[in-house]
Amino acid sequence: MMQAKVKWTDGLQFVGESGSGHAIVMDADAEVGGTNTGVRPTELLLIGLGGCSGMDVASILQKKREQVTGVEVNVKGEKADEHPKKFTDIEVEFVVSGRNLSETAVKKAVDLSMEKYCSVKATLEGVAKIKYSYKIISV
Amino acid sequence: MMQAKVKWTDGLQFVGESGSGHAIVMDADAEVGGTNTGVRPTELLLIGLGGCSGMDVASILQKKREQVTGVEVNVKGEKADEHPKKFTDIEVEFVVSGRNLSETAVKKAVDLSMEKYCSVKATLEGVAKIKYSYKIISV
């Protein structure tokens, strides 16, 4: 069981506290009455998707003794125009940097995360179409 | 289009940066090789759900001139045992505090968020069953 507690602080600012003991400030855009002191709640889904899959890819490649020096995950999400404006399409781009990286290993790591391990991806894809790609940078 | 960029920093620690310009540290549990320096990516889904619906409830009740002094959203999520361990069941409890609060107004605000406005709820419920309840505290 995972838990979170979210408390209203001021305006549309809320502070969320995770079961693991970490706090996150959320706020809305000025357009809808917020003051942008924190992340949008919807952005957390994209950040969570990047973090979840990034952790998989970094740890799988390290276990394979690939010389990874960087992992970056760029996530873009499109929402429906009509309320409740759920996410309809999400694109995830993995940028993996390293020395003598095996493309096969990178592809395998990305596929394993996206098709087998990443909880966030598996939860979001009930509603959103999720596409992904990867890039390798030799350093 | 919403965006996020997530970067590997060290161990299983990643820093996510949202399109709105806010950074969040993520990390895994010690059990799976992390060092718990930040929130779990999966917890972000629960925090996002609490923030999204909390903002709706606070703003709807204020528009109705209810004398709200506090909104707290407690979120619990159950994940599947098998990979990819997607969320299967989520419970959201709203605790609304205030003076002379109309129960009808609170119920309406909670229902409007959960059934009509909250993007995070609408995205997660493609996969997870989401139940919700509310409590009113007179102050």
Side-chain angles (χ1 to χ4, degrees), chain A residues 1-8 11-22 24-28 36-52 54-56 58-59 62 68-79 83-87 90-91 115-120 122-128, chain B residues 1-8 11-14 16-22 24-28 36-56 58-59 62 68-79 83-87 90-91 115-120 122-128:
Chain A
M1 176 75 79
M2 304 199 92
Q3 298 194 45
K5 172 177 289 198
V6 172
K7 269 192 178 176
W8 185 31
L12 288 176
Q13 187 196 66
F14 279 73
V15 174
E17 191 184 317
S18 74
S20 65
H22 302 281
I24 286 168
V25 179
M26 293 173 281
D27 199 348
N36 188 29
T37 58
V39 66
R40 308 290 163 269
T42 44
E43 287 179 327
L44 291 179
L45 303 192
L46 303 185
I47 292 175
L49 177 55
C52 170
M55 286 180 193
D56 288 340
S59 65
Q62 286 189 300
V68 188
T69 56
V71 176
E72 220 177 284
V73 191
N74 300 310
V75 188
K76 289 181 187 173
E78 198 70 67
K79 290 165 66 187
H83 287 300
K85 301 186 182 176
K86 54 188 167 190
F87 279 104
I90 297 176
E91 274 182 50
E115 305 305 338
K116 186 167 181 189
Y117 290 121
C118 176
S119 305
V120 176
T123 301
L124 300 184
E125 77 183 348
V127 156
Chain B
M1 176 74 78
M2 303 198 92
Q3 298 194 46
K5 172 179 290 201
V6 173
K7 268 190 179 179
W8 186 30
L12 288 176
Q13 187 196 66
F14 279 74
E17 191 185 316
S18 73
S20 66
H22 302 280
I24 286 167
V25 180
M26 293 174 280
D27 200 349
N36 189 29
T37 57
V39 67
R40 306 292 163 268
T42 43
E43 287 179 328
L44 291 179
L45 303 191
L46 303 184
I47 292 176
L49 177 55
C52 169
S53 55
M55 286 180 192
D56 288 340
S59 66
Q62 286 188 302
V68 188
T69 57
V71 176
E72 219 177 285
V73 190
N74 300 310
V75 188
K76 288 180 188 173
E78 199 70 67
K79 289 166 67 187
H83 288 298
K85 300 186 182 175
K86 54 189 167 190
F87 279 104
I90 297 176
E91 275 183 47
E115 306 304 339
K116 186 166 181 191
Y117 291 121
C118 176
S119 306
V120 176
T123 301
L124 300 184
E125 77 183 348
V127 157

